[in-house]
Amino acid sequence: MKKHLAELRTLAEERGIDVSGEMRELERRIENSEPKPLTRFDRVQLARHQERPFTLDYIQMMCDDFVELHGDRNFRDDPAIVGGWATLDGKSVMVIGHQKGRDMKENLHRNFGSPHPEGYRKAGRLMLMAEKFGRPVITFVDTQGAYPGIGAEERGQAEAIARNLFVMAGLEVPIVSCIIGEGGSGGALGIAVADRVLMMENAIYSVISPEGCAAILWRSRDMAADAAEALKLTAPDLADSGIIDEVVPEPGGGAHFDPEGAAEALREAILRHLSELGGLDRTQLIEARRAKYYAMGAWEETGADG
Amino acid sequence: MAWFRKEKQKLVAQKRELAADVWEKCDGCGEILYTRRLEENRRVCPECGHHFQISAPEYVDLLFDDGLTEEFDPGLRSSDPLEFVDSKPYPLRIAQAEEKVGTYDAVLTGVGRIEGREVCAGIMDFGFIGGSMGSVVGEKIARMVEQGVERSSPVLIVSASGGARMQEGIFSLMQLAKTSAALQRLASAGLPYISILTHPTTGGVTASYAMLGDVNLAEPGALIGFAGPRVIKETIRQDLPDGFQRSEFLREHGMVDRIVPRGEMRDTVALLLHHMT
């Protein structure tokens, strides 16, 4: 349409005809067809979209030879977190991720992608296995949060997450984390302490859900859109503040319009980061990872002294 | 018949204000306690053993031979990275908390001696925005742990926190990773870390340093958990069992090593450090 407008303008100039009326109409139509920029809450809804590719979809689209491994060796297998060996670009890697369900039946099985402690302990076990065999770890983050329930508390949800943070801080192999959908607080971070954190364009990552934040600070869950604005939880926000390393662009309309395209973009980014990290030895890797997290935060040093 | 229409005098219970500086009511047993007696008992109810919350400087006095010999990073202050405004702007919230509690944000860090042994410590203060962990808490804890590595001293953290500080958004979440990374470094240096959990310790603090002690100690009856009880109740739509998420429940389920009354805390810590250093 823009081309049409330019042609019309040239034509009008060449022949000296007045087409300003038609031009105005075309301009108006162009303006209306341009998609409005997404609000942060639009992105929250896109991040939660039922049709979005989930962890197993990405693994299937970008890897070969996936062998899923189950269980934390203590209590049970948690289907809200999946993991196992896979081949990426000809090399063995450990892939781990939250897994949501596509329908109600699968969601009940996978607890809507909200893990119990045994899910985090399975993830931790697989990370240590990757370290033992010198293979990189790739994680896919997509959870509204770790499950708040009686069993989860009895079995130490907090300890399970804390232990993973500790393990990931000292893991002697490269870790690349990809926030593919919802990055829900500690439940997300529990598999996302990494050398590189990539984020899909319409994914979100936050200390608390916009609904939870609105309920506490505004005393109403209906204020979730305002809370989403205040929390600055989108991929571009987090890239600006240096929390994540790269925003992976999604196909027009979101990853679910072209899952293969989304997976290809993510795969390219993962491989690029893995190859950069491949040049570091174990000590450099851990020191750089620690330095990266040490630098995160916003504070000022005032002159006060004790 | 005027007497018939006589207005009844309403019976109004006169609310008796307790002079807060003289008497306090125990949240545990409802007993009215003489404040001075409570203070002498380290703010533990002499009737039922209920542990009242205490401030960071009070906990320092309780644990250390002679207080902190050096305070670390007293000049570290929160900035407002998200320009967050809810019912009030975040910088105002900080300023009010500083006025109420002191300028150390929700954690006081430094070094002192316990039974003659040098210990680097962080002591949280629930009075400062619910002991919430934002960038300053995370940064001070990480720097204090690094001091432990540098001085080869054991590290001790007393936790009291509602979790990550919402007003700093994702920056708060990243403090979980930062503090855990610092403790990982301490552990690789072979140095001990004792975590003391007090009422309440929930959310991001529990899901990072509070649960990572070589030894986790808890004061009796403290609420300790990942999710808060209200969130759990709303999620599962059931009543929660008695004693759920209290120290005794955590000990039973293997998450804390010992429950230690406040009056025995210093001796217990000293004995543990004797074995571990």
Side-chain angles (χ1 to χ4, degrees), chain B residues 14-272:
Chain B
Q14 291 279 315
K15 199 171 173 186
R16 266 178 293 177
E17 293 285 331
L18 290 176
D21 50 345
V22 182
W23 300 99
E24 273 174 79
K25 189 175 167 186
C26 175
D27 294 332
C29 61
E31 193 72 26
I32 308 292
L33 304 166
Y34 193 33
T35 298
R36 212 175 68 196
R37 191 164 158 234
L38 189 60
E39 300 286 348
E40 280 165 7
N41 204 34
R42 304 181 182 290
R43 298 192 61 79
V44 174
C45 172
E47 302 299 324
C48 73
H50 171 75
H51 284 52
F52 286 70
Q53 283 174 348
I54 59 175
S55 69
E58 285 173 298
Y59 224 104
V60 167
D61 285 344
L62 183 94
L63 286 173
F64 287 87
D65 300 348
D66 210 6
L68 295 177
T69 47
E70 188 189 336
E71 183 185 343
F72 300 149
D73 307 302
L76 222 56
R77 287 188 85 244
S78 272
S79 55
D80 181 17
L82 303 186
E83 296 171 349
F84 200 97
V85 180
D86 50 277
S87 59
K88 52 183 128 167
Y90 179 49
L92 178 63
R93 210 174 270 281
I94 292 283
Q96 287 172 343
E98 282 176 346
E99 198 157 309
K100 180 175 137 206
V101 170
T103 51
Y104 45 76
D105 203 291
V107 70
L108 178 61
T109 56
V111 61
R113 288 184 178 275
I114 298 177
E115 299 275 318
R117 188 178 271 108
E118 187 179 80
V119 177
C120 287
I123 294 101
M124 298 195 74
D125 202 317
F126 193 77
F128 197 104
I129 318 185
S132 55
M133 170 161 65
S135 303
V136 169
V137 170
E139 182 66 14
K140 286 177 81 171
I141 293 275
R143 289 191 193 179
M144 178 276 292
V145 174
E146 281 288 327
Q147 281 290 319
V149 175
E150 206 159 293
R151 298 165 184 246
S152 286
S153 1
V155 163
L156 178 143
I157 300 176
V158 181
S159 293
S161 171
R165 190 174 292 168
M166 272 179 284
Q167 291 87 348
E168 289 182 40
I170 198 78
F171 291 96
S172 298
L173 186 64
M174 292 304 129
Q175 306 312 310
L176 279 68
K178 180 192 284 183
T179 53
S180 303
L183 288 170
Q184 192 276 333
R185 185 158 137 83
L186 184 82
S188 7
L191 294 163
Y193 163 43
I194 295 177
S195 170
I196 298 176
L197 297 100
T198 71
H199 178 76
T201 301
T202 60
V205 166
T206 325
S208 58
Y209 53 84
M211 273 292 154
L212 289 174
D214 292 304
V215 176
N216 296 336
L217 304 175
E219 285 193 349
L223 177 76
I224 301 166
F226 175 67
R230 196 176 47 80
V231 171
I232 297 174
K233 210 171 158 175
E234 280 170 13
T235 306
I236 63 173
R237 289 170 201 176
Q238 289 171 36
D239 285 332
L240 302 174
D242 280 348
F244 181 61
Q245 294 184 309
R246 297 288 162 176
S247 305
E248 297 71 17
F249 171 94
L250 271 95
R251 203 190 69 83
E252 189 188 328
H253 287 93
M255 297 301 148
V256 301
D257 290 275
R258 296 183 72 82
I259 293 172
V260 182
R262 199 172 280 165
E264 296 167 22
M265 196 59 90
R266 177 192 150 87
D267 288 350
T268 306
V269 167
L271 185 56
L272 286 168

Side-chain angles (χ1 to χ4, degrees), chain A residues 58 61-62 248 258-271:
Chain A
Y58 279 111
M61 289 185 287
M62 63 172 78
V248 179
D258 177 12
E260 294 282 348
E264 188 44 46
L266 184 55
R267 180 184 133 94
E268 181 279 317
I270 293 171
L271 289 174

Side-chain angles (χ1 to χ4, degrees), chain A residues 23-40:
Chain A
M23 278 171 61
R24 262 199 301 277
E25 170 61 17
L26 264 180
E27 274 164 354
R28 190 190 61 77
R29 279 169 58 191
I30 288 172
E31 200 163 303
N32 287 351
S33 69
E34 295 271 319
K36 277 190 202 140
L38 295 174
T39 66
R40 292 191 171 94

Side-chain angles (χ1 to χ4, degrees), chain A residues 6-231:
Chain A
E7 279 170 9
L8 198 65
R9 192 172 284 135
T10 327
L11 200 71
E13 275 166 15
E14 276 172 11
R15 309 218 176 140
I17 324 167
D18 179 24
V19 287
S20 59
E22 282 141 87
M23 278 171 61
R24 262 199 301 277
E25 170 61 17
L26 264 180
E27 274 164 354
R28 190 190 61 77
R29 279 169 58 191
I30 288 172
E31 200 163 303
N32 287 351
S33 69
E34 295 271 319
K36 277 190 202 140
L38 295 174
T39 66
R40 292 191 171 94
F41 201 61
D42 291 336
R43 287 221 153 98
V44 170
Q45 278 150 336
L46 269 177
R48 292 170 178 169
H49 201 287
Q50 266 303 301
E51 298 304 316
R52 234 179 131 72
F54 296 149
T55 294
L56 286 172
D57 302 316
Y58 279 111
I59 292 174
Q60 200 198 352
M61 289 185 287
M62 63 172 78
C63 301
D64 302 307
D65 310 327
F66 177 51
V67 188
E68 189 176 351
L69 303 171
H70 294 274
D72 70 338
R73 298 292 189 273
N74 281 297
F75 184 71
R76 64 157 200 157
D77 183 48
D78 184 352
I81 289 187
V82 295
W85 291 114
T87 308
L88 178 68
D89 196 37
K91 295 193 182 103
S92 288
V93 294
M94 180 64 78
V95 290
I96 298 167
H98 302 103
Q99 182 64 37
K100 291 180 175 176
R102 197 61 77 192
D103 53 31
M104 186 48 80
K105 189 176 165 218
E106 201 196 351
N107 259 326
L108 289 175
H109 173 59
R110 298 201 180 276
N111 200 31
F112 297 83
S114 282
H116 281 74
E118 46 274 19
Y120 292 103
R121 293 190 177 118
K122 168 168 74 177
R125 177 175 81 88
L126 298 183
M127 289 175 202
L128 291 169
M129 195 194 301
E131 180 182 55
K132 177 175 176 183
F133 299 109
R135 308 294 191 203
V137 174
I138 297 165
T139 71
F140 298 92
V141 175
D142 191 13
T143 183
Q144 53 181 305
Y147 188 65
I150 292 178
E153 294 291 325
E154 284 175 340
R155 298 193 291 280
Q157 188 75 284
E159 195 277 342
I161 292 172
R163 187 63 51 196
N164 277 7
L165 306 183
F166 184 92
V167 164
M168 283 183 278
L171 205 74
E172 296 184 341
V173 291
I175 312 174
V176 175
S177 283
C178 318
I179 320 289
I180 57 171
E182 278 184 281
S185 197
L189 187 66
I191 60 166
V193 176
D195 302 299
R196 299 291 158 83
V197 180
L198 319 180
M199 201 164 160
M200 297 305 289
E201 190 183 350
N202 295 316
I204 55 165
Y205 194 9
S206 178
V207 69
I208 186 167
S209 73
E211 289 79 6
C213 179
I216 296 170
L217 293 182
W218 281 269
R219 313 231 170 262
S220 159
R221 297 179 78 85
D222 301 337
M223 299 294 282
D226 296 70
E229 286 299 315
L231 287 166

